[in-house]
Amino acid sequence: MRNPNNAPAFCKSDFEFGKLLGRGAVGRVWLVREKRLGRILALKCMRKRDILRYSSPAVLRRELCVHSTLRHRNVLRLYNWFSDSDNIYLLLEYAPGGDLFALHRPVSEPRARKLVAQTVEALAFCHSRGIAHRDLKLENILLGADGNVRLADFGWSAKDTQRRTTLCGTLDYLAPELATQKPHTRAVDAWALGVLAFELLVGRAPFTAPGRKETLQRITACTYTIPQSVSPLARQFLSSLLQTDPAKRMSLADARRHPWILKPSDSIQSKENSSPKD
Ligand code: ATP
Ligand code: MG
């Protein structure tokens, strides 16, 4: 497998391994120190055996090609990759703040607004490059050294010039068109953004039911209730995203301009999300 820049290949012994940062369906992610330069990085290790069981080399190749081209302050950097006989390794920016799943939820409305606004920026950037993420969820949003959002895990991402029919993503976040296996577009990310914002504001996912079938029914019928504790503007934001018909669903461009996102306290937050390096 080629690395992004044809740079000299790495091998596992080039790194000192620290703590396990997390694990997903196919990957374990370790904190590592590059011995030569002393850089602190995250190394995502995936067994080739597991890639074949849960995913495919084609899916992985797509993840790497897509992710390595994305440069945005709210998108986790993929620096390089290499492989040995058993594993494939991704060299990633280390996000010391961990993932949003670890947050105690619900979070305050200003905090939720900041996290959602930065996620919108990351997704809008991906969409501007013709890429749908398709696996937005709390576990795939990390917090960087500056405390700002880093969108991660492009394992299900796709160039969405055409309408697609592949079933992908996580049950709680599945858009109705995916749940009913209809063709879908990048509008699935806007739905997932609504689920994510709901989880942050309310502390639970909107459609979760005891069984898979019932959850799917709630998704397709768009049955959910927003507690009174959520402000009217935030409720309006959620209900504009959680629209069954993708054509009526708020676009990311409109989400960026939504009054809930643009509330005055965000002037401080947008400053927090910019740095001279950007
Ligand atoms: P999934 O089950 O979503 O397919 P995966 O196998 O693709 O997961 P990731 O989502 O990339 O794996 O990573 C799993 C977990 O590891 C994340 O939820 C996060 O907690 C942690 N993690 C991943 N990358 C980093 C990083 N760069 N810095 C810090 N923690 C990370
Ligand atoms: Mg993940």
Side-chain angles (χ1 to χ4, degrees):
M1 183 177 287
R2 281 175 44 179
N3 59 38
N5 315 312
N6 280 337
F10 288 95
C11 66
K12 199 177 162 189
S13 61
D14 290 334
F15 303 93
E16 269 168 29
F17 278 66
K19 64 178 177 178
L20 181 68
L21 294 170
R23 63 178 87 209
V26 290
R28 282 176 184 217
V29 183
W30 298 88
L31 180 64
V32 295
R33 192 174 145 272
E34 192 187 351
K35 288 179 188 166
R36 204 166 54 89
L37 297 174
R39 276 196 303 176
I40 301 294
L41 298 160
L43 189 70
K44 182 170 173 176
C45 310
M46 291 172 286
R47 282 193 185 173
K48 288 181 177 172
R49 210 175 55 200
D50 292 339
I51 291 168
L52 290 173
R53 194 180 310 153
Y54 297 109
S55 180
S56 75
V59 167
L60 181 64
R61 238 189 323 275
R62 194 172 59 212
E63 173 178 4
L64 301 182
C65 291
V66 165
H67 194 170
S68 65
T69 61
L70 297 174
R71 303 269 167 97
H72 185 273
R73 61 180 175 264
N74 297 121
V75 175
L76 191 81
R77 281 290 305 276
L78 167 64
Y79 297 113
N80 219 323
W81 66 79
F82 59 95
S83 60
D84 59 24
S85 53
D86 297 325
N87 301 301
I88 289 173
Y89 303 89
L90 271 55
L91 268 177
L92 296 158
E93 169 190 358
Y94 169 47
D99 67 60
L100 295 194
F101 190 79
L103 291 183
H104 182 70
R105 299 183 298 280
V107 302
S108 70
E109 211 165 296
R111 180 100 202 268
R113 186 185 308 119
K114 174 184 168 179
L115 295 170
V116 172
Q118 294 181 2
T119 305
V120 172
E121 291 302 312
L123 284 174
F125 170 76
C126 296
H127 287 197
S128 74
R129 300 292 156 105
I131 290 155
H133 185 277
R134 306 199 305 171
D135 196 15
L136 191 69
K137 55 182 174 179
L138 294 170
E139 295 93 318
N140 288 340
I141 298 183
L142 309 178
L143 294 173
D146 54 8
N148 291 323
V149 157
R150 300 287 192 278
L151 178 62
D153 196 354
F154 285 78
W156 280 113
S157 62
K159 280 261 180 197
D160 69 339
T161 43
Q162 290 143 16
R163 286 156 67 86
R164 295 175 165 269
T165 51
T166 330
L167 186 62
C168 54
T170 305
L171 186 64
D172 282 334
Y173 284 74
L174 223 53
E177 60 271 30
L178 281 168
T180 51
Q181 299 194 17
K182 288 190 189 132
H184 64 272
T185 64
R186 66 182 77 171
V188 297
D189 284 342
W191 174 276
L193 180 74
V195 176
L196 184 109
F198 190 108
E199 279 212 78
L200 289 171
L201 286 162
V202 178
R204 60 174 171 81
F207 305 105
T208 310
R212 183 184 163 86
K213 204 174 147 198
E214 208 183 330
T215 301
L216 286 171
Q217 274 166 358
R218 287 192 190 175
I219 290 170
T220 47
C222 199
T223 310
Y224 65 93
T225 43
I226 307 175
Q228 287 302 323
S229 55
V230 177
S231 76
L233 266 183
R235 301 164 82 85
Q236 215 265 330
F237 181 80
L238 295 175
S239 57
S240 304
L241 291 169
L242 297 176
Q243 286 288 327
T244 313
D245 180 354
K248 293 189 183 143
R249 197 173 300 154
M250 180 162 64
S251 67
L252 287 179
D254 288 341
R256 282 175 101 176
R257 295 188 293 253
H258 190 278
W260 182 64
I261 292 288
L262 294 179
K263 268 187 98 169
S265 54
D266 272 335
S267 55
I268 303 162
Q269 287 149 12
S270 59
K271 273 186 206 142
E272 280 174 18
N273 192 26
S274 60
S275 82
K277 277 180 277 167
D278 303 327

